[in-house]
Amino acid sequence: MCPEVKLKKLILILAESALETIPREIWTHPCIRKYSKTRSKPPAFLLLDLSFHYQAAKKLPDLHKRGRPDIVHVTLLEVLGSPLCRRGLLDIYVHTYADYVIWVDPSTRLPRHYYRFCGLIEQLFETRKVPPEAEKPLLTLEKMTLRELLEKLRPDTVVLLDESGERRRLRDLAEELVQWERPALLVGAFQSGKFREETYRLATKIYSIYDEVLDTWVVTSRVLTAVEEVLGIL
Amino acid sequence: MCPEVKLKKLILILAESALETIPREIWTHPCIRKYSKTRSKPPAFLLLDLSFHYQAAKKLPDLHKRGRPDIVHVTLLEVLGSPLCRRGLLDIYVHTYADYVIWVDPSTRLPRHYYRFCGLIEQLFETRKVPPEAEKPLLTLEKMTLRELLEKLRPDTVVLLDESGERRRLRDLAEELVQWERPALLVGAFQSGKFREETYRLATKIYSIYDEVLDTWVVTSRVLTAVEEVLGIL
């Protein structure tokens, strides 16, 4: 019954994450000007957040896939606190809507507070690493597509979770993942809607673990838990 | 191998949660006065948050168990999005440090934003139900100890998760839980430290699922996932 375990690192990628600085098209909108003034920073260094910027953002394309930094925040809190992460078995990347990639050191203690998290990510977009002077930063940011990230990481397999995928029992998915040395697991970190065509093409397998769409943090914690169980960590 | 499944409702109780309005002892502290002015509300109707009130709060007893509404927020986001909750198999209660109990309707769509969540809970402390005029509110609040809550709910068994407990494989814990019709699962929702003696005494069993202390949301998502797996939901 026990699968052959080869896992060295599970590469977790939050894909097409709804995390970006305020896009240039709406910098001059009164709502953005006001927000920029309150925060004492130019819009280029502020995160788009639909809770505050909906009026300015509502005409942007793909609105349902943008301006939700909270999704990345809550999911990373789950991921960084997981036993799998603490055991050093996770590599963590956040790929964003505008094709940036954030690498997250697994030992990062992320701010628990949403606003401090946003401040940290804003600093990251400005300085490309956090802390800015650190030789070993906790977060780094690069302009990079998902394809480029996968070409760089060269995982053994790429599993994409999507409701359109083949329905798979959670345990079976975990048993499949641990049979690879460096599998990549792609989870969408946006509110609703489909991945880009390109993203589907990058996947070796597309699976679904439930009949309904689940929150990013719920999906992620389920898969990490199942992998922890298969590995005997829990 | 399959356990006999009797589960009708898993009663999840976040115990001794670090969620309270600003306590009277520090209302006159300059830092609280200033915060109260900024928020345009008296301190009695504002949540204690150590990120903002540490200077005023640092002499309060049990500081490590207070002023962390974010713990309840992130954990409830995990819980309310879980397949177990969506299937109607969860009853959800938040018991607080100051002995209030919040009942959470499982269909509640909680604010994703931390500040809106705090605003909602502040309203709840003021009006005792949210929305205030609703016949079927989504959240209700009552002054009640954990003992009184358990006497009211009368669960078949009370399982407390604590690092001092007997180490239990996650799967075994889940299999044990589903053999009861209405088991109560108690998870601490505070930063660090031990439960009160009283809380340990209320537990039928005390278990630990990992060798280190885990975040409240990590523990909770692990147990819910394992129960979902045992029930064949995932």
Side-chain angles (χ1 to χ4, degrees):
Chain A
M1 294 296 285
C2 273
E4 194 190 348
V5 173
K6 292 190 187 159
L7 188 77
K8 290 186 177 164
K9 290 267 189 186
L10 174 61
I11 302 168
L12 175 68
I13 303 175
L14 302 185
E16 302 186 26
S17 306
L19 183 79
E20 64 182 311
T21 50
I22 297 174
R24 189 179 295 266
E25 306 97 282
I26 60 171
W27 285 357
T28 56
H29 191 283
C31 134
I32 300 297
R33 280 181 196 271
K34 192 176 159 196
Y35 181 78
S36 166
K37 205 174 156 189
T38 318
R39 296 280 317 274
S40 311
K41 282 204 248 181
F45 295 138
L46 291 168
L47 288 186
L48 181 69
D49 184 329
L50 293 192
S51 292
F52 305 125
H53 312 135
Y54 183 76
Q55 280 308 315
K58 64 186 178 188
K59 286 185 180 164
L60 290 175
D62 302 327
L63 192 61
H64 55 290
K65 294 181 67 181
R66 306 176 73 172
R68 289 288 307 273
D70 60 298
I71 297 177
V72 172
H73 182 223
V74 173
T75 306
L76 285 181
L77 285 176
E78 262 289 343
V79 169
L80 290 165
S82 70
L84 201 66
C85 182
R86 294 198 183 179
R87 294 283 179 103
L89 294 169
L90 271 188
D91 274 344
I92 307 159
Y93 296 89
V94 179
H95 163 261
T96 74
Y97 177 82
D99 284 329
Y100 286 87
V101 168
I102 299 169
W103 169 80
V104 182
D105 184 306
S107 71
T108 306
R109 253 193 75 81
L110 213 64
R112 266 49 185 149
H113 256 264
Y114 177 64
Y115 282 14
R116 294 197 179 167
F117 168 76
C118 290
L120 187 82
I121 299 297
E122 285 165 357
Q123 185 189 22
L124 181 65
F125 271 97
E126 210 172 325
T127 61
R128 303 288 155 129
K129 58 179 186 169
V130 168
E133 303 80 22
E135 263 189 51
K136 287 191 176 180
L138 293 170
L139 305 172
T140 63
L141 177 134
E142 280 182 80
K143 182 77 186 166
M144 194 182 283
T145 65
L146 189 56
R147 172 179 293 280
E148 288 164 346
L149 176 64
L150 290 170
E151 280 167 1
K152 185 178 150 191
L153 298 175
R154 305 184 70 78
D156 313 323
T157 186
V158 179
V159 172
L160 176 68
L161 295 182
D162 186 68
E163 64 267 28
S164 73
E166 177 194 343
R167 177 68 188 269
R168 203 95 161 88
R169 216 166 58 100
L170 182 62
R171 179 80 177 202
D172 295 337
L173 168 61
E175 290 188 353
E176 179 170 332
L177 286 171
V178 302
Q179 289 175 54
W180 298 94
E181 283 193 13
R182 298 178 66 254
L185 177 72
L186 271 57
V187 183
F190 45 88
Q191 193 169 4
S192 62
K194 296 178 76 65
F195 289 102
R196 295 172 203 154
E197 278 308 314
E198 165 85 347
T199 302
Y200 290 109
R201 281 197 299 271
L202 291 169
T204 321
K205 296 279 177 66
I206 304 173
Y207 292 135
S208 159
I209 59 164
Y210 192 60
D211 297 328
E212 297 167 24
V213 180
L214 296 171
D215 295 314
T216 306
W217 51 84
V218 172
V219 176
T220 307
S221 62
R222 261 92 205 128
V223 180
L224 298 190
T225 302
V227 170
E228 287 156 2
E229 288 188 290
V230 169
L231 295 178
I233 295 174
L234 288 183
Chain B
M1 294 296 285
C2 274
E4 194 190 348
V5 173
K6 290 191 188 158
L7 188 77
K8 289 185 178 164
K9 291 268 189 185
L10 174 61
I11 302 168
L12 175 68
I13 302 175
L14 303 184
E16 302 186 27
S17 306
L19 183 79
E20 63 182 313
T21 50
I22 298 174
R24 189 180 295 265
E25 307 96 283
I26 60 171
W27 284 359
T28 57
H29 190 283
C31 135
I32 300 296
R33 281 181 195 270
K34 191 176 159 197
Y35 182 77
S36 166
K37 205 174 156 190
T38 317
R39 296 281 316 276
S40 311
K41 283 203 247 182
F45 296 138
L46 291 168
L47 287 186
L48 181 70
D49 184 329
L50 294 191
S51 291
F52 306 124
H53 312 135
Y54 182 77
Q55 280 309 315
K58 64 186 178 189
K59 287 186 181 164
L60 289 176
D62 302 327
L63 192 61
H64 54 289
K65 293 181 68 180
R66 307 176 71 171
R68 288 289 308 275
D70 59 297
I71 297 177
V72 171
H73 183 222
V74 173
T75 306
L76 284 182
L77 285 176
E78 262 288 342
V79 169
L80 291 166
S82 69
L84 201 65
C85 182
R86 294 198 183 180
R87 295 282 179 104
L89 294 169
L90 271 188
D91 274 344
I92 307 160
Y93 296 88
V94 179
H95 163 261
T96 75
Y97 177 81
D99 284 330
Y100 285 87
V101 169
I102 299 169
W103 168 80
V104 182
D105 185 306
S107 72
T108 307
R109 253 192 76 81
L110 214 63
R112 266 50 184 148
H113 256 264
Y114 176 64
Y115 282 13
R116 295 196 179 168
F117 168 75
C118 291
L120 188 81
I121 300 297
E122 286 165 355
Q123 185 188 21
L124 180 64
F125 271 97
E126 212 173 322
T127 60
R128 305 287 155 128
K129 57 179 188 171
V130 168
E133 303 80 23
E135 263 189 51
K136 286 192 176 178
L138 293 170
L139 304 171
T140 62
L141 177 134
E142 281 182 79
K143 182 77 185 165
M144 194 183 283
T145 65
L146 190 55
R147 173 179 292 280
E148 288 164 345
L149 176 65
L150 290 169
E151 279 167 1
K152 185 178 148 189
L153 297 175
R154 306 185 69 77
D156 313 323
T157 186
V158 179
V159 172
L160 176 69
L161 294 182
D162 186 68
E163 64 266 28
S164 72
E166 177 194 342
R167 177 67 188 270
R168 202 96 161 88
R169 214 167 58 101
L170 182 63
R171 179 79 176 201
D172 295 338
L173 169 61
E175 290 188 352
E176 181 172 330
L177 286 171
V178 302
Q179 290 174 53
W180 300 94
E181 282 192 15
R182 299 178 65 254
L185 177 73
L186 271 57
V187 183
F190 45 87
Q191 193 168 2
S192 62
K194 295 177 78 63
F195 289 101
R196 295 174 203 154
E197 279 308 316
E198 164 86 347
T199 302
Y200 290 109
R201 281 197 298 271
L202 291 170
T204 320
K205 296 279 176 66
I206 304 173
Y207 292 134
S208 158
I209 59 163
Y210 192 61
D211 297 329
E212 299 167 23
V213 179
L214 296 171
D215 295 314
T216 307
W217 51 83
V218 172
V219 176
T220 307
S221 63
R222 261 97 204 123
V223 180
L224 298 191
T225 301
V227 170
E228 287 155 3
E229 287 187 291
V230 169
L231 295 179
I233 294 173
L234 287 183

